[in-house]
Amino acid sequence: MNKALLFLSIFVFLGAHTLFSQERRKPTKILRDFNNPNRQQNDSLKSYGKVNVTLSGKTTYTDYKRFSHTNDTTYIDTTLSLQKEYKFNYLRKDIFELLEFHNQGQAFNNLGYSFNTVSRLPDIGFTAKQASYLEVEDIAYYEVPTPTTEILYRTGLQQGQVLDALFTLNFSKRLNVSVAYKGLRSLGAYRRALVSNGNFRGSFQYRTKKNKYQIKGHLTSQDFFHQESGGLTPEALVTFIENDPDFQNKTRFDVNLLASESQFDGSRTYIAQSYKLLASKDTVHKKDFSNLKIGHIYTSEEKSYEFIQSGLTEDFFGAANSADPRKKRAESKLLNNELNLEFNSKYVLGKFKAKANFTNYSYGYDTILNSSSAVNKLKIEGNAISFGADWNAKIKNFQLNADASITPGKGRLSGNYLKAEAVFKKDSIFRMKGTLLVSSKASNFNTLLHQSEYDAYNWQNNFSNVNTRDLGFDFVSKWINASLNFTNLDNYTYFDENSQPQQYASQITYLKVKANKEFKLGKFALDNTFMYQNVSSGSTVFRVPEFVSRNTFYYTDYWFKGKPLLVNIGVTFKYFTAYAANAYNPLLAEFRLQNEQQIGFPTFDVFFNAQVRRTRLYFKVDNATSDFTSKNYFSAPNYPYRDLTIRFGLVWNWFI
């Protein structure tokens, strides 16, 4: 509550500063509908019948800006495309390398891995519950000339739906505030599969005249409540595979857990601010640039996870002993302050930033949960100081980026991080990028310390740092899009067949090649994406399918006179080769190794999408062929993938 009051106080202060510093302007016209440049409206505002004020300036789609935490700029996109079809899901991103569970928002198994965006610090863990958790880099900031709203709606399974609503406005050109909330509640087709998630985020950004002082920040509050079934029982699994006609109603299948739930919560406060100490003109390009800028970034984040049962299920998790069942929650707290000095000059070929981070961390429990446990440590906590630098430069058609940091010492946060990028862009013809990432950091906290009422789920480990080296290449052009990643992993940490955390003693070598090409003929198109993966060393613990493909044949055209309706109709075929996919452990909220079942199957999804002005309508049939194919589709062992499911949804934008 104190953090929320602090955040609102900043809003009030900045809003008051803006309101009392506004200037009167001469009335001019405003273009309200930037999607239709021929439509122009006069809009006058009356104040107690004394003063007539009209907003000024014409707006286009480039005025509705969206910024990342690193100030990368995009625009609010209201178009309809095949990529929008791929991203119309609960995560709102392309999930080509993920395998969904049958109920949306429940969990995702992995068909591929990416190591080019490794985090610098270890996390609390319980990763299966964090697929839809919004990190710092997932929060957007805006600049809009008029109040803007975006609504996403999508139906759920059996009962429930997803609603993601965003509202943002500028009090002035220099102050923007946005509030958004994504809520999901879906019952699921099988027993004990209820999902109830919430993601609240509020953000703001403000700058003074001449941009001498800038501040932006966000506040998030996220919660994920899931019923845990443990998958189908062995008898129900046989019945499902044999497609028994008496079990067409999926709620009739028996599941392993009847009174188990999980709760994952997280909250974060993030504030980044900077002040120009010295500024001058670039004598070559006559542009403003900062010679010296001081900055501060404050991050405070708390996460917690709890597995809740009304009674012990020793036949599923093993023997149990309870010491204090009242509070079984694992909690982590992270407080980080970064101080930085940024120097921007043609003499260093761009922007250079030196930074120092002061981090305080804590993870653990309030009491011993198991009376027979050998665990004698309640918490992992401490402080760490890290030093680093960023460099960004542009030399003709080359963009060079580097980010490095080191955390000395012997604490849990000790390690190093280096990421370097070189991008070459030839106008709009093609773009090439080479990336090198080197990282050393501790494994997630739940692999180092975990407590449970069940005897087999108590441990405290002193693992070595996980070392990651990733070399990547990307090529984007009008002919083909392709990427290659070559990754080496030392001390790879995983959960074995008994759900115990282990570190792999040898090195893992992982190759991933991905290519995309679209062929067009008139109003028809065929979009193809292929991914090849090879684990030449460490395949016993690091498992991925060798091939994954997605092929979409679709039709696009405007319907009716005057072209008021754009339609996008097609079918998507997706297939991955069989592999020993990881099994899901509901107590740990993690995926573990298993050797009993191979998973690999094709799916056909049919879609009919349409756009009317700034509204996109989505109608989809998931796994359309499931009624007359063999029942061999699973998201994880004992967890069937979804049957034929009809979905409806829309994305609607208002620019007031």
Side-chain angles (χ1 to χ4, degrees):
M1 180 62 70
N2 293 333
K3 294 180 180 178
L5 291 175
L6 173 63
F7 199 77
L8 290 175
S9 298
I10 295 174
F11 278 5
V12 171
F13 169 76
L14 295 177
H17 179 276
T18 304
L19 290 174
F20 286 105
S21 62
Q22 287 182 345
E23 299 178 356
R24 292 188 178 183
R25 299 181 179 178
K26 294 181 179 180
T28 55
K29 295 180 179 179
I30 179 173
L31 181 67
R32 304 300 298 277
D33 187 354
F34 65 86
N35 275 349
N36 188 350
N38 296 320
R39 178 172 296 179
Q40 188 168 335
Q41 299 176 359
N42 294 330
D43 193 13
S44 62
L45 304 175
K46 294 184 178 180
S47 176
Y48 303 104
K50 296 180 180 180
V51 181
N52 293 331
V53 179
T54 304
L55 298 177
S56 63
K58 292 184 177 182
T59 59
T60 65
Y61 76 95
T62 57
D63 295 319
Y64 291 78
K65 299 176 182 178
R66 175 188 173 111
F67 305 94
S68 69
H69 74 295
T70 57
N71 292 323
D72 293 332
T73 306
T74 56
Y75 307 111
I76 297 178
D77 188 359
T78 62
T79 61
L80 178 67
S81 66
L82 182 62
Q83 293 303 317
K84 294 291 186 67
E85 158 63 23
Y86 291 152
K87 294 180 180 180
F88 189 72
N89 52 60
Y90 174 65
L91 297 184
R92 304 199 70 175
K93 65 181 182 181
D94 192 342
I95 56 174
F96 174 75
E97 297 185 22
L98 296 176
L99 178 58
E100 290 183 274
F101 275 44
H102 93 276
N103 198 7
Q104 58 186 342
Q106 191 175 12
F108 296 82
N109 214 334
N110 283 91
L111 299 176
Y113 293 86
S114 296
F115 293 97
N116 55 0
T117 55
V118 175
S119 62
R120 304 166 188 267
L121 301 175
D123 188 48
I124 186 176
F126 311 105
T127 56
K129 299 305 173 190
Q130 296 199 64
S132 54
Y133 187 84
L134 300 177
E135 304 288 354
V136 170
E137 55 269 21
D138 298 318
I139 304 301
Y141 306 88
Y142 298 88
E143 180 182 300
V144 292
T146 62
T148 300
T149 301
E150 180 178 273
I151 299 291
L152 176 143
Y153 171 82
R154 190 173 189 247
T155 56
L157 289 176
Q158 304 297 321
Q159 299 176 19
Q161 54 274 318
V162 179
L163 182 65
D164 191 0
L166 163 72
F167 175 74
T168 179
L169 78 159
N170 273 65
F171 290 103
S172 72
K173 187 175 179 57
R174 295 179 285 111
L175 172 62
N176 175 272
V177 175
S178 70
V179 178
Y181 181 80
K182 179 167 67 172
L184 162 67
R185 187 171 180 86
S186 182
L187 184 62
Y190 295 85
R191 299 172 65 184
R192 304 296 300 173
L194 173 67
V195 174
S196 181
N197 299 344
N199 303 77
F200 169 82
R201 62 269 191 204
S203 68
F204 76 96
Q205 63 173 347
Y206 171 77
R207 65 182 187 272
T208 59
K209 292 182 178 179
K210 299 183 180 180
N211 299 332
K212 193 166 187 179
Y213 174 75
Q214 300 183 39
I215 183 173
K216 64 181 175 182
H218 68 255
L219 177 72
T220 65
S221 179
Q222 306 179 66
D223 59 274
F224 308 91
F225 172 82
H226 297 173
Q227 291 180 339
E228 302 290 354
S229 69
L232 301 182
T233 63
E235 297 79 10
L237 186 62
V238 173
T239 303
F240 171 79
I241 295 174
E242 294 179 350
N243 197 20
D244 191 327
D246 294 332
F247 286 83
Q248 297 303 310
N249 185 344
K250 304 305 178 184
T251 59
R252 300 188 60 187
F253 285 111
D254 291 329
V255 294
N256 289 300
L257 302 175
L258 297 175
S260 300
E261 301 165 345
S262 65
Q263 180 74 48
F264 187 95
D265 297 316
S267 62
R268 180 175 60 250
T269 301
Y270 174 90
I271 298 176
Q273 52 188 330
S274 63
Y275 183 81
K276 289 183 181 180
L277 299 176
L278 297 172
S280 64
K281 291 283 187 179
D282 186 332
T283 58
V284 177
H285 301 97
K286 304 298 182 183
K287 293 182 179 179
D288 289 326
F289 72 102
S290 171
N291 278 335
L292 188 62
K293 181 189 293 184
I294 187 171
H296 172 248
I297 300 176
Y298 169 84
T299 307
S300 176
E301 187 165 33
E302 298 182 2
K303 295 180 179 180
S304 65
Y305 174 77
E306 184 175 7
F307 183 71
I308 307 164
Q309 286 187 302
S310 59
L312 298 176
T313 53
E314 297 188 10
D315 57 334
F316 192 74
F317 293 114
N321 289 278
S322 178
D324 187 354
R326 290 172 297 175
K327 190 171 183 180
K328 301 179 289 183
R329 177 173 295 187
E331 298 178 331
S332 73
K333 297 180 181 179
L334 176 71
L335 179 64
N336 185 79
N337 282 279
E338 177 184 303
L339 296 177
N340 57 69
L341 280 173
E342 181 181 302
F343 182 71
N344 188 6
S345 170
K346 60 184 178 182
Y347 301 110
V348 295
L349 299 177
K351 182 174 64 177
F352 182 83
K353 179 192 292 184
K355 56 188 178 182
N357 283 268
F358 306 88
T359 307
N360 175 268
Y361 64 96
S362 173
Y363 162 81
Y365 302 80
D366 290 337
T367 185
I368 297 296
L369 302 182
N370 191 303
S371 58
S372 64
S373 169
V375 173
N376 55 25
K377 180 186 293 186
L378 290 179
K379 292 184 182 295
I380 300 173
E381 54 188 354
N383 300 286
I385 301 177
S386 63
F387 305 93
D390 299 344
W391 179 57
N392 307 98
K394 185 174 183 180
I395 306 173
K396 294 185 178 180
N397 291 334
F398 282 93
Q399 175 70 44
L400 305 176
N401 305 306
D403 183 4
S405 65
I406 183 171
T407 306
K410 298 182 179 180
R412 281 297 173 193
L413 297 191
S414 64
N416 56 72
Y417 177 90
L418 169 65
K419 184 175 182 180
E421 292 181 344
V423 182
F424 176 80
K425 184 176 181 180
K426 181 63 174 176
D427 300 324
S428 60
I429 301 175
F430 68 87
R431 180 175 64 88
M432 300 175 61
K433 181 173 73 171
T435 306
L436 173 66
L437 183 141
V438 179
S439 168
S440 176
K441 69 166 189 173
S443 60
N444 288 337
F445 288 128
N446 69 331
T447 66
L448 305 176
L449 174 64
H450 188 267
Q451 290 197 66
S452 172
E453 297 169 295
Y454 295 98
D455 296 347
Y457 292 87
N458 293 271
W459 55 74
Q460 57 186 48
N461 296 311
N462 188 26
F463 287 155
S464 302
N465 275 10
V466 179
N467 300 318
T468 305
R469 295 172 296 279
D470 181 83
L471 181 63
F473 299 94
D474 292 270
F475 180 79
V476 178
S477 72
K478 60 182 180 180
W479 307 291
I480 192 172
N481 302 327
S483 64
L484 181 148
N485 285 86
F486 184 77
T487 308
N488 286 329
L489 300 171
D490 293 324
N491 303 321
Y492 174 68
T493 307
Y494 63 97
F495 290 89
D496 64 15
E497 294 89 337
N498 298 315
S499 298
Q500 299 294 302
Q502 305 288 348
Q503 281 199 313
Y504 189 59
S506 301
Q507 185 180 96
I508 291 176
T509 303
Y510 171 49
L511 173 68
K512 181 174 74 173
V513 181
K514 191 174 176 181
N516 170 261
K517 172 63 178 176
E518 183 177 72
F519 300 93
K520 288 188 175 182
L521 180 61
K523 299 174 183 179
F524 295 90
L526 177 63
D527 183 80
N528 305 284
T529 303
F530 297 96
M531 182 170 68
Y532 167 76
Q533 301 176 105
N534 180 266
V535 183
S536 58
S537 175
S539 58
T540 56
V541 299
F542 190 89
R543 299 172 178 177
V544 290
E546 186 175 13
F547 288 100
V548 182
S549 71
R550 180 179 64 194
N551 311 91
T552 301
F553 180 74
Y554 67 103
Y555 160 86
T556 302
D557 192 17
Y558 284 95
W559 284 3
F560 307 116
K561 185 178 180 180
K563 299 182 178 180
L565 178 67
L566 174 65
V567 298
N568 199 330
I569 308 170
V571 57
T572 296
F573 169 80
K574 186 174 181 179
Y575 172 75
F576 58 95
T577 53
Y579 74 114
N582 289 340
Y584 174 63
N585 187 309
L587 189 151
L588 291 175
E590 296 280 5
F591 286 90
R592 63 167 179 85
L593 296 181
Q594 61 86 25
N595 296 303
E596 290 77 32
Q597 186 176 356
Q598 296 279 320
I599 293 177
F601 58 91
T603 59
F604 287 89
D605 299 334
V606 180
F607 60 89
F608 183 104
N609 303 331
Q611 178 182 16
V612 181
R613 293 176 63 82
R614 295 187 300 274
T615 303
R616 283 85 71 204
L617 305 172
Y618 297 87
F619 181 85
K620 187 172 183 179
V621 181
D622 290 335
N623 202 6
T625 60
S626 64
D627 285 346
F628 48 87
T629 58
S630 58
K631 303 297 181 180
N632 63 344
Y633 43 87
F634 292 86
S635 302
N638 302 336
Y639 285 87
Y641 182 70
R642 67 173 63 100
D643 298 307
L644 185 149
T645 306
I646 298 176
R647 299 289 185 88
F648 170 77
L650 60 86
V651 179
W652 195 355
N653 290 91
W654 292 283
F655 302 97
I656 301 174

